[in-house]
């Protein structure tokens, strides 16, 4: 299904203050793939993700989601197809209760109340947070906030999940739970992160960004195992791979 | 504590008001529209009294008191917020004693100038109306109140503005709280800040809040926000809500038409006066 396609071609972006954040970024992600976008701080990961749903306008180049080129006019379509989980859950959760927050997207989509309620229940169940539905989001733990933020996006039944540093600020247990959750999804997934253990567990493909350019793109194992490449771009080879074939 | 320097403590406190909105009491169960209509009528009627009136206004205390007690709102909480806003009323009211020196009340040899009476009247009205509005929010929750106002036909722009102001107030309070913690940790226990540091702090606070507000707005757009507030349960206006509205309106009408405080006084003292 072409629904789930994400294709970026020769994307360039400079922030209004002149910072050039992306240079000639190109890649193509097919249905059901789980792709990690890795790179040091400031590599341009967040900037790239914000282009996928039209939050930042395309300056030069092209972003295609499903069958549509993302422009100011078609951004609404891209937002329907892409569920975006932002880096800081506090930015994403703004309603008085968890349930109302999860209902926000489906209500905006104009779904009838009974269907909205079903979506809310299913999404919260999916992330294991059904028991929190009456609580105010800003009082939850970091792990719970993250899970609820993912539920707010699942409730909109997106084809593609896009996440910006989903494991940031999580304690080991919450992080393990998140990894299990991400593994269980069948969606096309694009995950920006420098948590390479998460990448090993969840993603089959890795795109490495450095200075706003794609410097490597290939199977996760091959790329993550390339110590020189990792070090050259401010990353390190994950421990779990060291155990697999020690030097 | 750390908020004391900038007076941000009160801003942070607004989170409490929202918590109260989630309680489940008889007052919270009344439809948001019914409560909004009653409080609006309350404010209009209280403001409509002539400037020297005091005793006839006093029975109106019943309305905020009912909201606060039936809604199980801590009185101290509302009282503190009224005190925070009081300086505005003082500034408005203080012109009266200066401009209006005509004596209108006499206690034996002492006379009280009209200006002082109207000053007292202004403060009373202020406390009552602000108290009622705060009690309304505390008994309803701002989001539900906004949805109710929308259902009543208040233009969407105003409702959305109201909710955004509220949400961004949280954002600013949040950023402010974090910054003050940073300052407190490094200011060696001193409670005062130099004007330069203060200015830079406020500037930073503004920039950080704007940044954050933009990210919140982005997240809302990403979930299909179009500027319209939608709620899950469009609560029905029940018979008891009608009763609530009619009951209060009848009381306001009666208290406006007759001085109930004076009437009660007459009753208690044997009706001689
Ligand atoms: N709002 C902004 N204005 C100016 N420059 C920015 C802005 N946001 C990010 N940048 C710059 O763009 C570059 C890429 O940032 P970002 O996409 O956030 O990186 P990452 O998410 O990989 O850490 C960085 O050099 C950063 O300083
Ligand atoms: Mg980032």
């Amino acid at each position: 299904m072409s629904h789930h396609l994400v294709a970026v071609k020769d994307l360039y972006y400079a922030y209004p203050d002149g910072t050039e954040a992306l240079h000639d970024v190109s890649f193509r992600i097919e249905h059901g793939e789980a792709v990690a976008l890795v790179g040091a701080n400031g590599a341009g990961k967040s900037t790239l993700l914000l282009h996928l749903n039209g939050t930042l306008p395309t300056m030069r180049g092209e972003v295609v989601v499903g069958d549509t080129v993302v422009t100011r006019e078609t951004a609404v379509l891209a937002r329907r197809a892409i569920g975006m989980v932002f880096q800081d859950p506090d930015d994403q959760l703004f309603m008085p209760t968890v349930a109302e927050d999860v209902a926000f997207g489906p209500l905006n989509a104009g779904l009838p109340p009974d269907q909205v309620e079903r979506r809310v229940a299913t999404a919260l169940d999916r992330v294991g947070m059904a028991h929190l539905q009456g609580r105010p989001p800003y009082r939850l733990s970091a792990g719970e906030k993250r899970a609820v933020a993912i539920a707010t996006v699942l409730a909109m039944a997106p084809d593609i999940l896009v996440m910006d540093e989903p494991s940031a600020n999580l304690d080991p247990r919450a992080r393990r739970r998140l990894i299990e959750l991400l593994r269980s999804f069948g969606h096309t997934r694009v995950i920006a992160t420098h948590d390479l253990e998460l990448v090993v567990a969840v993603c089959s493909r890795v795109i490495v960004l450095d200075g706003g350019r794609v410097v490597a793109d290939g199977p996760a194992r091959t790329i993550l195992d390339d110590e020189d490449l990792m070090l050259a771009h401010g990353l390190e080879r994950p421990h779990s791979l060291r155990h697999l074939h020690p030097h | 504590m750390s908020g004391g320097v900038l007076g941000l403590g009160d801003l942070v406190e607004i989170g409490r008001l929202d918590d109260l909105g989630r309680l489940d009491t008889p007052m919270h169960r009344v439809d948001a529209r019914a409560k909004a209509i009653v409080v609006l009528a309350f404010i209009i009627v209280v403001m409509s009294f002539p400037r020297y009136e005091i005793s006839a206004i006093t029975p109106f205390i019943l309305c905020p008191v009912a909201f606060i007690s039936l809604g199980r709102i801590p009185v101290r909480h509302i009282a503190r917020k009224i005190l925070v806003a009081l300086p505005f009323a003082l500034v408005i009211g203080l012109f009266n004693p200066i401009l209006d020196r005509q004596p209108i009340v006499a206690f034996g040899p002492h006379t009280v100038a009209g200006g002082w009476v109207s000053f007292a009247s202004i403060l009373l009205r202020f406390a009552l109306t602000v108290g009622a509005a705060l009690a309304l929010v505390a008994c309803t929750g701002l989001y539900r109140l906004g949805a109710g106002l929308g259902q009543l036909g208040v233009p969407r722009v105003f409702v959305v503005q109201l909710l955004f102001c509220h949400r961004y107030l949280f954002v600013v309070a949040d950023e402010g709280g974090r910054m003050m913690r940073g300052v407190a940790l490094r200011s060696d226990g001193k409670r005062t800040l130099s004007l330069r540091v203060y200015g830079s702090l406020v500037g930073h606070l503004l920039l950080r809040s704007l940044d954050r507000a933009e990210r919140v707005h982005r997240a809302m757009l990403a979930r299909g926000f179009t500027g319209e507030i939608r709620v899950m349960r469009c609560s029905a206006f029940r018979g008891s809500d009608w009763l609530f509205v009619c009951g209060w309106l009848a009381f306001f009408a009666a208290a406006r038409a007759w001085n109930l405080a004076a009437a009660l006084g007459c009753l208690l003292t044997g009706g001689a006066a």
Side-chain angles (χ1 to χ4, degrees), chain A residues 200-201 203-204 206 218-226 240-241 244-245:
Chain A
V200 172
C203 302
S204 55
V206 170
R221 290 284 157 130
T222 322
I223 296 210
L224 296 179
D225 212 13
D226 186 340
S240 56
L241 290 187
L244 281 181
H245 21 211

Side-chain angles (χ1 to χ4, degrees), chain A residues 45-46 87 164-165:
Chain A
K45 304 182 294 291
S46 301
Q87 185 166 344
D164 199 349
E165 312 218 2

Side-chain angles (χ1 to χ4, degrees), chain B residues 203-218:
Chain B
H204 262 288
L205 179 61
L206 200 68
L207 287 180
R208 280 168 59 158
S209 303
L210 283 176
D211 250 12
R212 204 175 166 96
E214 191 190 335
R215 277 181 282 142
V216 172
H217 188 231
R218 255 180 205 171

Side-chain angles (χ1 to χ4, degrees), chain B residues 105-126:
Chain B
V105 189
F107 294 110
H110 301 287
T111 59
V112 178
W116 284 109
V117 177
S118 59
F119 176 53
S121 174
I122 283 176
L123 288 191
L124 178 63
R125 284 171 220 226
F126 172 81

Side-chain angles (χ1 to χ4, degrees), chain A residues 15-17 19-21 39-48 87 164-165:
Chain A
Y15 278 99
D17 68 356
T19 313
E20 294 187 316
N41 286 328
K45 304 182 294 291
S46 301
T47 309
L48 176 55
Q87 185 166 344
D164 199 349
E165 312 218 2

Side-chain angles (χ1 to χ4, degrees), chain A residues 90-92 101 107 139, chain B residues 19 167 212 215 223 230:
Chain A
D90 284 324
D91 296 340
Q92 189 146 10
D101 221 312
L107 284 172
R139 293 270 164 75
Chain B
D19 287 345
R167 164 74 206 181
R212 204 175 166 96
R215 277 181 282 142
R223 287 203 273 153
R230 299 169 195 248

Side-chain angles (χ1 to χ4, degrees), chain B residues 166-216:
Chain B
H166 177 248
R167 164 74 206 181
Y168 289 150
L169 216 54
F170 271 105
V171 167
V172 174
D174 210 39
E175 295 291 350
R178 237 175 293 188
M179 262 176 38
M180 290 320 297
R181 217 171 305 137
V183 170
L185 282 177
R186 283 182 292 161
S187 61
D188 208 22
K190 284 197 286 286
R191 299 271 299 170
T192 51
L193 294 174
S194 74
L195 203 60
R196 211 170 55 83
V197 174
Y198 192 87
S200 141
L201 274 180
V202 170
H204 262 288
L205 179 61
L206 200 68
L207 287 180
R208 280 168 59 158
S209 303
L210 283 176
D211 250 12
R212 204 175 166 96
E214 191 190 335
R215 277 181 282 142
V216 172

Side-chain angles (χ1 to χ4, degrees), chain B residues 65-117:
Chain B
V65 165
F67 270 66
I68 288 169
S69 58
L70 290 178
R72 290 210 284 280
I73 310 296
V75 179
R76 216 157 28 103
H77 191 69
I78 303 278
R80 269 181 57 182
K81 290 203 162 45
I82 295 179
L83 285 181
V84 169
L86 196 61
F88 298 103
L90 284 177
V91 169
I92 299 170
L94 265 178
F95 283 105
N96 286 292
I98 297 167
L99 299 178
D100 180 0
R101 290 159 188 261
Q102 190 188 352
I104 62 161
V105 189
F107 294 110
H110 301 287
T111 59
V112 178
W116 284 109
V117 177

